Amino acid sequence: MTLYHFGNCIALIYVPYYLAYKNSGLPEYGAFWKCIQAGFCYMFTQLAKMLILATFFPDNVSDLGSDLIGEFLKSTVDLADLVGLYIVLASIPGKGHSKVLTAGIGWATAEVILSRALLLWVGARGAEFDWIYIQKCLESNIFLIQHIVTATLIWLWSRHDLKSNIRTAVTLLLVLTSYKSLLLDLLLTGMGASAWFGLFIKAFVTMVYGFFTLMIYAGLAQVIGIF
């Protein structure tokens, strides 16, 4: 039973990543090694963030809500992820859609391996079934969409032919991306929401992000023909 549960979690968490890569057309561009490079950039970025947090926020284990300024400053460190993704995008040649998919999938895959593999190996193989591992797997699929959306926003922001009002909207979405986790945690904590409802809210907010990003990207594609 434990092996069956572990296998279900592995399939739920990694198969969507494989299908996203396989069906996105990236194999035709030979993007596998570029995804690997994006993963290494993710690891370097997380190491830099850990060093910053360890230097400026040592032994800070206060509960969410008791130190909002500290939590806000910690979330500000997540702006480094935007810099890391920008570097990844700048190193990938090709058209816009292949660049954002390669960067987003490579970045998300590195995150899910480093943050979920050990959790599943230690926890999902336990003797008792726990829904928390299913929830973590579903949350990882939400992160996949979020990272692709973030990569798209960064690519849009880096273009010089973007109108000023659109650039402002893209910049606002990018800034909110860094603080989205903090804002959602505050909202869900204040509502006393259950884990499943919190997962639904995270998925809904991510889909809203994706919808607005897709509208901006599609509008730019129609104007300059980047598809």
Side-chain angles (χ1 to χ4, degrees):
M1 180 63 184
T2 57
L3 184 61
Y4 179 73
H5 176 49
F6 177 71
N8 282 338
C9 289
I10 291 294
L12 184 59
I13 197 172
Y14 290 114
V15 169
Y17 283 71
Y18 171 77
L19 293 178
Y21 174 81
K22 194 71 175 178
N23 297 324
S24 61
L26 292 182
E28 299 176 2
Y29 294 93
F32 179 77
W33 290 110
K34 289 297 181 181
C35 289
I36 298 295
Q37 293 175 15
F40 279 111
C41 187
Y42 169 83
M43 289 189 288
F44 177 80
T45 303
Q46 301 313 304
L47 178 61
K49 287 170 58 178
M50 289 172 61
L51 292 175
I52 294 174
L53 289 173
T55 301
F56 296 100
F57 305 96
D59 301 327
N60 191 346
V61 292
S62 58
D63 294 332
L64 181 64
S66 62
D67 185 14
L68 287 178
I69 296 179
E71 295 297 330
F72 175 81
L73 294 176
K74 286 183 181 180
S75 296
T76 303
V77 179
D78 290 338
L79 291 172
D81 290 332
L82 304 183
V83 178
L85 270 172
Y86 177 82
I87 294 174
V88 171
L89 285 168
S91 66
I92 299 175
K95 297 182 179 180
H97 70 280
S98 63
K99 290 168 68 75
V100 299
L101 287 174
T102 301
I105 293 176
W107 191 274
T109 302
E111 181 190 45
V112 76
I113 291 175
L114 294 177
S115 64
R116 294 289 189 265
L118 183 60
L119 174 69
L120 293 180
W121 181 256
V122 174
R125 293 171 63 248
E128 296 183 2
F129 175 83
D130 196 330
W131 281 106
I132 188 174
Y133 302 109
I134 301 294
Q135 294 165 357
K136 292 294 183 182
C137 294
L138 294 174
E139 187 179 44
S140 296
N141 295 329
I142 297 174
F143 289 159
L144 171 62
I145 299 174
Q146 178 62 59
H147 289 314
I148 295 176
V149 169
T150 303
T152 305
L153 289 171
I154 294 174
W155 180 82
L156 289 169
W157 181 85
S158 65
R159 294 191 63 87
H160 301 290
D161 53 358
L162 205 62
K163 295 182 180 180
S164 58
N165 59 333
I166 301 298
R167 183 179 296 276
T168 301
V170 170
T171 303
L172 179 61
L173 288 173
L174 280 174
V175 173
L176 287 176
T177 297
S178 298
Y179 299 101
K180 183 167 72 73
S181 296
L182 175 62
L183 295 174
L184 285 176
D185 287 342
L186 289 172
L187 174 64
L188 296 175
T189 301
M191 296 173 59
S194 64
W196 285 109
F197 182 73
L199 192 65
F200 171 79
I201 293 297
K202 292 177 182 179
F204 176 77
V205 172
T206 302
M207 294 304 295
V208 171
Y209 262 79
F211 173 78
F212 282 109
T213 303
L214 181 61
M215 293 294 292
I216 297 173
Y217 181 84
L220 182 64
Q222 290 179 357
V223 172
I224 63 176
I226 57 177
F227 283 138

